[in-house]
Every structure is written in structure tokens, then in C-alpha cells.
Amino acid sequence: MNWIGAKTLLNKEVRRFLRVPGQTLLSPLISTALYFIVFGVTLGRYQATLDGAPYVLAIVPGLIFMGASNNAFLNASSSMFITKLQGTVVDLLVAPLSPLALLFGFVAGAMVRGALVGILTWAVAMIFTGVHLAHPLESLALLLLVSYVFAMGGLLAGLWAEKFEQVNFFSTFIIIPLNFLGGVFFSVRSLEEPYRTIAMFNPVVHMVEGLRSAMLGTMAISPIGVAILLGFAAASTAVTYRLLEVGYHLKT
């Protein structure tokens, strides 16, 4: 792989979202802070615990997950779509960049944004809750894996989309509903049947619980969540690489 070209593309992607920090970093932090105040502080008075941890503390991993996943997805999808829309994708196609280099540049740039938003979200939450990090390495690994999976999904969406509405479709109708129904603000295990069983088919539930377990140490990290993330990572990588290889919606 052309590592110089791949790192150059990565540098371009990072600089792209850092040029507008108010939109790409500050905006999600404000939204997260509002979620924390409304759900954590207000509802925390009525619900003392969540999965064995104080409620105001237990929602922090879920908010970190939401921030990282949403921003990783949006960065990759919008960057690829705008590249196609403006016609600058031609510059990438004529450059000595392999499909692997393109995949690395777009996905790594989106991962940086997703992980950065996740870490900043945790920093903001510490103001209210203090420092609580039971397993730092496991937490960081899960955060990076979540960012990777959703960055890859964003790149797939950007490749597929031909209109702005199609880019927003995944975020509006798939990611946001799955996140809000994924146990970020409540415990799925407290639901009555059959809703509990139905909720367990939501992959976000296992991802959030995995991150919560790693950060708070309230229970053992479930291998199901890790397996789901690894499965999505492997499948999305294979599909995205193949689409880049054949130039899907890039050469027409």
C-alpha cells in the first residue's frame, strides 16, 4: 500500500473536520451535555441505579457510544458523498492510491473524529461524576472498535448514496432509533417480555453494555458485544473494500 498517499488522505480528512470545530466537535458536546443534564440529573432523582451503578454515572458510557458512533458515521459518509458530488473523486482515482489506501484514509479520519468526540464527552461527564474508569485499555479498545465499525458503515453509505436524502436515511431511520432503543438511558434487562427478548436483537444493546462494563466494571464484559462488533467490522470491511476495488458509484 502507498503509505504516503494513505497518510496524506488521513491528514486531509482530519484537517477537514478540524476546520469547523464548532460544528464537528462543540455541537455534539453541547448535545451530550444537554442529554446528560436532562436524563442524568433529572431522571436520576427517580431512578437510583442502572445495571448496578448510579444512574447518572451509568448513562455516561451510552452517551460516549452515541457521540462516537454518530460522528464516525457522519464524517465518513459526508466526506465520501461530498467528494463524489464535487467531482474531486477523480483526483483520488488517478492518484496512486489502492482501494486499501482509500479505505484507510477515509475510515481512519472518521475514527479520529469519533474517538475524539467520545473522549471529550467523557471529559465533560467527569465534571459531574468524577473519574470512573475500571478498565482503561478495554474501554479504549471498545471505543476505537465502535468508531471503526460506524466509520466503515458511513463509508458504505457515502459510496451508495447519490442524493443528500440517501446519506441522511441511515442516520435518521436506522442509527438514531437503534441508539435510543439500545439501553443508553434505561436497562433493557428491566423490560417486560416480549420486549426484553426483542430488544436483545438490537446490536447496539450489546455494544453499549460492553462499553458500560469496561468503563464502570459493574459486570463482566460480555463476549457477545465484542463478537458483534468484530463481526460487523469484518463484514463491512470486506464489502467496502470490494466496492472501492470495482469503483462502485465512483467511476460513473
Side-chain angles (χ1 to χ4, degrees), residues 28-54:
L29 283 182
I30 292 175
S31 300
T32 300
L34 291 174
Y35 281 133
F36 189 84
I37 292 172
V38 172
F39 289 95
V41 178
T42 305
L43 293 183
R45 300 176 182 176
Y46 305 99
Q47 182 167 339
T49 62
L50 176 61
D51 288 341

PDB file of all heavy atoms in Angstrom, residues 28-54:
ATOM      1  N   PRO A  28     -21.705  18.381  19.034  1.00  0.00           N
ATOM      2  CA  PRO A  28     -22.080  17.129  19.707  1.00  0.00           C
ATOM      3  C   PRO A  28     -21.824  17.161  21.208  1.00  0.00           C
ATOM      4  O   PRO A  28     -22.546  16.501  21.972  1.00  0.00           O
ATOM      5  CB  PRO A  28     -21.201  16.073  19.016  1.00  0.00           C
ATOM      6  CG  PRO A  28     -20.107  16.827  18.364  1.00  0.00           C
ATOM      7  CD  PRO A  28     -20.686  18.140  17.987  1.00  0.00           C
ATOM      8  N   LEU A  29     -20.828  17.926  21.657  1.00  0.00           N
ATOM      9  CA  LEU A  29     -20.579  18.031  23.092  1.00  0.00           C
ATOM     10  C   LEU A  29     -21.720  18.752  23.800  1.00  0.00           C
ATOM     11  O   LEU A  29     -22.136  18.360  24.893  1.00  0.00           O
ATOM     12  CB  LEU A  29     -19.259  18.762  23.346  1.00  0.00           C
ATOM     13  CG  LEU A  29     -17.977  17.958  23.138  1.00  0.00           C
ATOM     14  CD1 LEU A  29     -16.762  18.807  23.478  1.00  0.00           C
ATOM     15  CD2 LEU A  29     -17.977  16.695  23.971  1.00  0.00           C
ATOM     16  N   ILE A  30     -22.236  19.807  23.168  1.00  0.00           N
ATOM     17  CA  ILE A  30     -23.371  20.527  23.748  1.00  0.00           C
ATOM     18  C   ILE A  30     -24.592  19.618  23.809  1.00  0.00           C
ATOM     19  O   ILE A  30     -25.308  19.578  24.823  1.00  0.00           O
ATOM     20  CB  ILE A  30     -23.665  21.800  22.943  1.00  0.00           C
ATOM     21  CG1 ILE A  30     -22.513  22.806  23.104  1.00  0.00           C
ATOM     22  CG2 ILE A  30     -24.981  22.431  23.388  1.00  0.00           C
ATOM     23  CD1 ILE A  30     -22.659  24.050  22.258  1.00  0.00           C
ATOM     24  N   SER A  31     -24.833  18.880  22.731  1.00  0.00           N
ATOM     25  CA  SER A  31     -25.972  17.950  22.716  1.00  0.00           C
ATOM     26  C   SER A  31     -25.834  16.899  23.814  1.00  0.00           C
ATOM     27  O   SER A  31     -26.803  16.582  24.509  1.00  0.00           O
ATOM     28  CB  SER A  31     -26.079  17.266  21.354  1.00  0.00           C
ATOM     29  OG  SER A  31     -26.275  18.214  20.324  1.00  0.00           O
ATOM     30  N   THR A  32     -24.607  16.380  23.977  1.00  0.00           N
ATOM     31  CA  THR A  32     -24.375  15.371  25.001  1.00  0.00           C
ATOM     32  C   THR A  32     -24.579  15.943  26.395  1.00  0.00           C
ATOM     33  O   THR A  32     -25.157  15.291  27.276  1.00  0.00           O
ATOM     34  CB  THR A  32     -22.946  14.803  24.867  1.00  0.00           C
ATOM     35  OG1 THR A  32     -22.798  14.203  23.581  1.00  0.00           O
ATOM     36  CG2 THR A  32     -22.682  13.764  25.938  1.00  0.00           C
ATOM     37  N   ALA A  33     -24.088  17.159  26.606  1.00  0.00           N
ATOM     38  CA  ALA A  33     -24.262  17.808  27.907  1.00  0.00           C
ATOM     39  C   ALA A  33     -25.744  17.996  28.228  1.00  0.00           C
ATOM     40  O   ALA A  33     -26.178  17.794  29.369  1.00  0.00           O
ATOM     41  CB  ALA A  33     -23.534  19.147  27.931  1.00  0.00           C
ATOM     42  N   LEU A  34     -26.530  18.356  27.222  1.00  0.00           N
ATOM     43  CA  LEU A  34     -27.972  18.521  27.432  1.00  0.00           C
ATOM     44  C   LEU A  34     -28.625  17.183  27.761  1.00  0.00           C
ATOM     45  O   LEU A  34     -29.495  17.097  28.638  1.00  0.00           O
ATOM     46  CB  LEU A  34     -28.613  19.145  26.193  1.00  0.00           C
ATOM     47  CG  LEU A  34     -28.249  20.611  25.920  1.00  0.00           C
ATOM     48  CD1 LEU A  34     -28.821  21.067  24.587  1.00  0.00           C
ATOM     49  CD2 LEU A  34     -28.757  21.501  27.050  1.00  0.00           C
ATOM     50  N   TYR A  35     -28.240  16.121  27.022  1.00  0.00           N
ATOM     51  CA  TYR A  35     -28.752  14.785  27.335  1.00  0.00           C
ATOM     52  C   TYR A  35     -28.420  14.423  28.779  1.00  0.00           C
ATOM     53  O   TYR A  35     -29.248  13.880  29.509  1.00  0.00           O
ATOM     54  CB  TYR A  35     -28.133  13.741  26.401  1.00  0.00           C
ATOM     55  CG  TYR A  35     -28.749  13.670  25.033  1.00  0.00           C
ATOM     56  CD1 TYR A  35     -27.949  13.632  23.890  1.00  0.00           C
ATOM     57  CD2 TYR A  35     -30.128  13.613  24.869  1.00  0.00           C
ATOM     58  CE1 TYR A  35     -28.507  13.558  22.623  1.00  0.00           C
ATOM     59  CE2 TYR A  35     -30.699  13.537  23.606  1.00  0.00           C
ATOM     60  CZ  TYR A  35     -29.871  13.516  22.486  1.00  0.00           C
ATOM     61  OH  TYR A  35     -30.420  13.431  21.238  1.00  0.00           O
ATOM     62  N   PHE A  36     -27.181  14.712  29.167  1.00  0.00           N
ATOM     63  CA  PHE A  36     -26.724  14.353  30.499  1.00  0.00           C
ATOM     64  C   PHE A  36     -27.522  15.093  31.567  1.00  0.00           C
ATOM     65  O   PHE A  36     -27.923  14.509  32.575  1.00  0.00           O
ATOM     66  CB  PHE A  36     -25.235  14.668  30.633  1.00  0.00           C
ATOM     67  CG  PHE A  36     -24.617  14.134  31.892  1.00  0.00           C
ATOM     68  CD1 PHE A  36     -24.181  12.826  31.956  1.00  0.00           C
ATOM     69  CD2 PHE A  36     -24.492  14.932  33.004  1.00  0.00           C
ATOM     70  CE1 PHE A  36     -23.629  12.320  33.115  1.00  0.00           C
ATOM     71  CE2 PHE A  36     -23.931  14.448  34.168  1.00  0.00           C
ATOM     72  CZ  PHE A  36     -23.497  13.133  34.221  1.00  0.00           C
ATOM     73  N   ILE A  37     -27.750  16.378  31.325  1.00  0.00           N
ATOM     74  CA  ILE A  37     -28.483  17.180  32.307  1.00  0.00           C
ATOM     75  C   ILE A  37     -29.941  16.736  32.393  1.00  0.00           C
ATOM     76  O   ILE A  37     -30.491  16.531  33.480  1.00  0.00           O
ATOM     77  CB  ILE A  37     -28.394  18.673  31.948  1.00  0.00           C
ATOM     78  CG1 ILE A  37     -26.948  19.165  32.127  1.00  0.00           C
ATOM     79  CG2 ILE A  37     -29.329  19.500  32.824  1.00  0.00           C
ATOM     80  CD1 ILE A  37     -26.718  20.568  31.605  1.00  0.00           C
ATOM     81  N   VAL A  38     -30.574  16.559  31.217  1.00  0.00           N
ATOM     82  CA  VAL A  38     -31.999  16.225  31.191  1.00  0.00           C
ATOM     83  C   VAL A  38     -32.243  14.824  31.733  1.00  0.00           C
ATOM     84  O   VAL A  38     -33.083  14.609  32.616  1.00  0.00           O
ATOM     85  CB  VAL A  38     -32.566  16.364  29.766  1.00  0.00           C
ATOM     86  CG1 VAL A  38     -33.982  15.823  29.706  1.00  0.00           C
ATOM     87  CG2 VAL A  38     -32.523  17.817  29.328  1.00  0.00           C
ATOM     88  N   PHE A  39     -31.484  13.838  31.186  1.00  0.00           N
ATOM     89  CA  PHE A  39     -31.738  12.456  31.579  1.00  0.00           C
ATOM     90  C   PHE A  39     -30.998  12.075  32.858  1.00  0.00           C
ATOM     91  O   PHE A  39     -31.567  11.427  33.739  1.00  0.00           O
ATOM     92  CB  PHE A  39     -31.325  11.505  30.448  1.00  0.00           C
ATOM     93  CG  PHE A  39     -32.235  11.557  29.261  1.00  0.00           C
ATOM     94  CD1 PHE A  39     -31.944  12.363  28.177  1.00  0.00           C
ATOM     95  CD2 PHE A  39     -33.388  10.793  29.234  1.00  0.00           C
ATOM     96  CE1 PHE A  39     -32.786  12.421  27.079  1.00  0.00           C
ATOM     97  CE2 PHE A  39     -34.239  10.838  28.132  1.00  0.00           C
ATOM     98  CZ  PHE A  39     -33.941  11.654  27.055  1.00  0.00           C
ATOM     99  N   GLY A  40     -29.737  12.476  32.952  1.00  0.00           N
ATOM    100  CA  GLY A  40     -28.945  12.062  34.102  1.00  0.00           C
ATOM    101  C   GLY A  40     -29.340  12.751  35.385  1.00  0.00           C
ATOM    102  O   GLY A  40     -29.646  12.103  36.386  1.00  0.00           O
ATOM    103  N   VAL A  41     -29.347  14.071  35.363  1.00  0.00           N
ATOM    104  CA  VAL A  41     -29.625  14.819  36.583  1.00  0.00           C
ATOM    105  C   VAL A  41     -31.100  14.749  36.955  1.00  0.00           C
ATOM    106  O   VAL A  41     -31.460  14.504  38.113  1.00  0.00           O
ATOM    107  CB  VAL A  41     -29.181  16.283  36.427  1.00  0.00           C
ATOM    108  CG1 VAL A  41     -29.520  17.076  37.679  1.00  0.00           C
ATOM    109  CG2 VAL A  41     -27.674  16.356  36.145  1.00  0.00           C
ATOM    110  N   THR A  42     -31.989  14.938  35.962  1.00  0.00           N
ATOM    111  CA  THR A  42     -33.420  14.974  36.252  1.00  0.00           C
ATOM    112  C   THR A  42     -33.981  13.586  36.558  1.00  0.00           C
ATOM    113  O   THR A  42     -34.550  13.349  37.629  1.00  0.00           O
ATOM    114  CB  THR A  42     -34.191  15.589  35.073  1.00  0.00           C
ATOM    115  OG1 THR A  42     -33.645  16.882  34.789  1.00  0.00           O
ATOM    116  CG2 THR A  42     -35.658  15.734  35.425  1.00  0.00           C
ATOM    117  N   LEU A  43     -33.794  12.638  35.621  1.00  0.00           N
ATOM    118  CA  LEU A  43     -34.349  11.298  35.836  1.00  0.00           C
ATOM    119  C   LEU A  43     -33.585  10.536  36.914  1.00  0.00           C
ATOM    120  O   LEU A  43     -34.124   9.597  37.500  1.00  0.00           O
ATOM    121  CB  LEU A  43     -34.322  10.511  34.524  1.00  0.00           C
ATOM    122  CG  LEU A  43     -35.241  11.030  33.410  1.00  0.00           C
ATOM    123  CD1 LEU A  43     -35.162  10.125  32.200  1.00  0.00           C
ATOM    124  CD2 LEU A  43     -36.681  11.134  33.895  1.00  0.00           C
ATOM    125  N   GLY A  44     -32.336  10.941  37.140  1.00  0.00           N
ATOM    126  CA  GLY A  44     -31.549  10.272  38.168  1.00  0.00           C
ATOM    127  C   GLY A  44     -32.151  10.399  39.548  1.00  0.00           C
ATOM    128  O   GLY A  44     -31.870   9.587  40.445  1.00  0.00           O
ATOM    129  N   ARG A  45     -33.001  11.405  39.747  1.00  0.00           N
ATOM    130  CA  ARG A  45     -33.667  11.566  41.042  1.00  0.00           C
ATOM    131  C   ARG A  45     -34.716  10.490  41.279  1.00  0.00           C
ATOM    132  O   ARG A  45     -35.043  10.167  42.416  1.00  0.00           O
ATOM    133  CB  ARG A  45     -34.341  12.943  41.106  1.00  0.00           C
ATOM    134  CG  ARG A  45     -33.370  14.113  40.961  1.00  0.00           C
ATOM    135  CD  ARG A  45     -34.136  15.422  40.926  1.00  0.00           C
ATOM    136  NE  ARG A  45     -33.244  16.567  40.751  1.00  0.00           N
ATOM    137  CZ  ARG A  45     -33.673  17.825  40.619  1.00  0.00           C
ATOM    138  NH1 ARG A  45     -34.979  18.088  40.643  1.00  0.00           N
ATOM    139  NH2 ARG A  45     -32.801  18.809  40.456  1.00  0.00           N
ATOM    140  N   TYR A  46     -35.250   9.941  40.179  1.00  0.00           N
ATOM    141  CA  TYR A  46     -36.328   8.959  40.295  1.00  0.00           C
ATOM    142  C   TYR A  46     -35.827   7.526  40.094  1.00  0.00           C
ATOM    143  O   TYR A  46     -36.465   6.585  40.557  1.00  0.00           O
ATOM    144  CB  TYR A  46     -37.424   9.260  39.277  1.00  0.00           C
ATOM    145  CG  TYR A  46     -37.958  10.675  39.385  1.00  0.00           C
ATOM    146  CD1 TYR A  46     -37.518  11.674  38.532  1.00  0.00           C
ATOM    147  CD2 TYR A  46     -38.896  11.014  40.358  1.00  0.00           C
ATOM    148  CE1 TYR A  46     -37.997  12.978  38.635  1.00  0.00           C
ATOM    149  CE2 TYR A  46     -39.383  12.304  40.466  1.00  0.00           C
ATOM    150  CZ  TYR A  46     -38.927  13.283  39.599  1.00  0.00           C
ATOM    151  OH  TYR A  46     -39.399  14.569  39.713  1.00  0.00           O
ATOM    152  N   GLN A  47     -34.727   7.368  39.372  1.00  0.00           N
ATOM    153  CA  GLN A  47     -34.163   6.030  39.153  1.00  0.00           C
ATOM    154  C   GLN A  47     -32.754   6.028  39.723  1.00  0.00           C
ATOM    155  O   GLN A  47     -31.838   6.621  39.152  1.00  0.00           O
ATOM    156  CB  GLN A  47     -34.144   5.667  37.666  1.00  0.00           C
ATOM    157  CG  GLN A  47     -33.616   4.260  37.414  1.00  0.00           C
ATOM    158  CD  GLN A  47     -33.884   3.793  35.992  1.00  0.00           C
ATOM    159  OE1 GLN A  47     -34.768   4.318  35.330  1.00  0.00           O
ATOM    160  NE2 GLN A  47     -33.132   2.807  35.536  1.00  0.00           N
ATOM    161  N   ALA A  48     -32.580   5.363  40.832  1.00  0.00           N
ATOM    162  CA  ALA A  48     -31.317   5.451  41.574  1.00  0.00           C
ATOM    163  C   ALA A  48     -30.174   4.749  40.860  1.00  0.00           C
ATOM    164  O   ALA A  48     -29.050   5.265  40.791  1.00  0.00           O
ATOM    165  CB  ALA A  48     -31.492   4.866  42.974  1.00  0.00           C
ATOM    166  N   THR A  49     -30.424   3.566  40.289  1.00  0.00           N
ATOM    167  CA  THR A  49     -29.350   2.776  39.695  1.00  0.00           C
ATOM    168  C   THR A  49     -29.728   2.280  38.307  1.00  0.00           C
ATOM    169  O   THR A  49     -30.901   2.227  37.945  1.00  0.00           O
ATOM    170  CB  THR A  49     -29.009   1.566  40.577  1.00  0.00           C
ATOM    171  OG1 THR A  49     -30.163   0.711  40.670  1.00  0.00           O
ATOM    172  CG2 THR A  49     -28.574   2.008  41.967  1.00  0.00           C
ATOM    173  N   LEU A  50     -28.704   1.890  37.576  1.00  0.00           N
ATOM    174  CA  LEU A  50     -28.882   1.290  36.253  1.00  0.00           C
ATOM    175  C   LEU A  50     -27.780   0.261  36.078  1.00  0.00           C
ATOM    176  O   LEU A  50     -26.591   0.606  36.079  1.00  0.00           O
ATOM    177  CB  LEU A  50     -28.798   2.352  35.153  1.00  0.00           C
ATOM    178  CG  LEU A  50     -28.879   1.855  33.705  1.00  0.00           C
ATOM    179  CD1 LEU A  50     -30.209   1.170  33.453  1.00  0.00           C
ATOM    180  CD2 LEU A  50     -28.686   3.006  32.724  1.00  0.00           C
ATOM    181  N   ASP A  51     -28.164  -0.998  35.961  1.00  0.00           N
ATOM    182  CA  ASP A  51     -27.207  -2.103  35.845  1.00  0.00           C
ATOM    183  C   ASP A  51     -26.181  -2.095  36.972  1.00  0.00           C
ATOM    184  O   ASP A  51     -24.981  -2.336  36.782  1.00  0.00           O
ATOM    185  CB  ASP A  51     -26.490  -2.049  34.490  1.00  0.00           C
ATOM    186  CG  ASP A  51     -27.398  -2.447  33.339  1.00  0.00           C
ATOM    187  OD1 ASP A  51     -28.435  -3.090  33.593  1.00  0.00           O
ATOM    188  OD2 ASP A  51     -27.078  -2.102  32.184  1.00  0.00           O
ATOM    189  N   GLY A  52     -26.640  -1.774  38.179  1.00  0.00           N
ATOM    190  CA  GLY A  52     -25.781  -1.851  39.346  1.00  0.00           C
ATOM    191  C   GLY A  52     -24.924  -0.628  39.617  1.00  0.00           C
ATOM    192  O   GLY A  52     -24.124  -0.634  40.555  1.00  0.00           O
ATOM    193  N   ALA A  53     -25.072   0.430  38.830  1.00  0.00           N
ATOM    194  CA  ALA A  53     -24.305   1.657  39.020  1.00  0.00           C
ATOM    195  C   ALA A  53     -25.264   2.820  39.208  1.00  0.00           C
ATOM    196  O   ALA A  53     -26.416   2.766  38.760  1.00  0.00           O
ATOM    197  CB  ALA A  53     -23.397   1.909  37.819  1.00  0.00           C
ATOM    198  N   PRO A  54     -24.828   3.902  39.876  1.00  0.00           N
ATOM    199  CA  PRO A  54     -25.680   5.093  39.983  1.00  0.00           C
ATOM    200  C   PRO A  54     -26.128   5.557  38.602  1.00  0.00           C
ATOM    201  O   PRO A  54     -25.333   5.586  37.653  1.00  0.00           O
ATOM    202  CB  PRO A  54     -24.761   6.117  40.650  1.00  0.00           C
ATOM    203  CG  PRO A  54     -23.775   5.297  41.410  1.00  0.00           C
ATOM    204  CD  PRO A  54     -23.553   4.063  40.589  1.00  0.00           C
TER     205      PRO A  54
END
